[in-house]
Amino acid sequence: MRQTPAGIDVIAFRVLHESQAMEAGGQREVRAEVDAVAFEGQARLLAGCGLDTALAVEGFLCARSRRSKRLVLHVTKLEFSEGD
Amino acid sequence: MRQTPAGIDVIAFRVLHESQAMEAGGQREVRAEVDAVAFEGQARLLAGCGLDTALAVEGFLCARSRRSKRLVLHVTKLEFSEGD
């Protein structure tokens, strides 16, 4: 975790998602690694997590910067999954 | 538009999204360019569209391939926006 210039806690992390989805009449494996960022209370919660912590996240995708179109998930909702 | 080896219509396209979102107590610009893919009837609808057609899409994100982690939006729902 670090602080923005305005002193807001922020953390950058990566989410690995694996599931199945239906597509064109067949089932397919879905795998996505998504760079993510969270702020304030969510950043502090994530800073206390180990790697491989099971999470459910919601948010919005945004290009990393004006120069980089790489997508970053900005977390707006964070839940820690149980039983994983 | 092209066909998969199984003869299913498929189209690859790109979605440009621009909006605003609240984050860490402030409003920020959201801009994301997302590679996307659609199948069957949705592919055929998109094949008839011009560039800069206004769309609302839903779907799931998936890595492009086993080798590339680049995210691709697989469209599951497609609506053409009016008045744009």
Side-chain angles (χ1 to χ4, degrees):
Chain A
M1 191 166 70
R2 59 181 180 83
Q3 274 78 39
T4 69
I8 293 169
D9 290 331
V10 56
I11 193 167
F13 63 110
R14 179 168 280 194
V15 180
L16 172 61
H17 168 88
E18 290 182 314
S19 64
Q20 291 85 37
M22 291 298 295
E23 183 170 77
Q27 194 174 46
R28 63 163 294 152
E29 299 295 312
V30 178
R31 183 181 168 97
E33 279 186 51
V34 187
D35 291 321
V37 66
F39 292 86
E40 301 182 315
Q42 291 169 336
R44 292 187 287 274
L45 282 171
L46 287 161
C49 285
L51 290 173
D52 295 329
T53 301
L55 298 172
V57 294
E58 293 181 16
F60 58 88
L61 290 171
C62 188
R64 180 185 299 278
S65 68
R66 289 180 188 272
R67 287 165 300 156
S68 169
K69 293 178 181 171
R70 189 179 171 96
L71 295 173
V72 177
L73 176 66
H74 291 244
V75 172
T76 57
K77 189 175 168 187
L78 172 65
E79 287 180 14
F80 291 89
S81 308
E82 291 176 28
D84 253 322
Chain B
M1 191 166 69
R2 57 182 180 82
Q3 274 78 38
T4 69
I8 293 169
D9 290 331
V10 58
I11 194 166
F13 63 110
R14 179 168 280 195
V15 180
L16 171 61
H17 168 88
E18 290 181 314
S19 64
Q20 290 86 35
M22 290 298 294
E23 183 170 77
Q27 193 173 46
R28 64 163 293 152
E29 299 295 312
V30 178
R31 183 182 169 98
E33 279 187 51
V34 187
D35 291 322
V37 66
F39 293 86
E40 301 182 314
Q42 290 169 335
R44 293 186 286 274
L45 282 171
L46 286 162
C49 286
L51 289 174
D52 295 328
T53 301
L55 297 172
V57 294
E58 292 180 17
F60 58 89
L61 291 170
C62 188
R64 181 186 296 277
S65 68
R66 289 180 189 273
R67 285 166 300 157
S68 169
K69 293 178 181 170
R70 190 179 171 94
L71 295 172
V72 177
L73 176 66
H74 291 245
V75 172
T76 58
K77 188 175 168 188
L78 172 67
E79 288 180 14
F80 291 89
S81 309
E82 292 176 28
D84 254 320

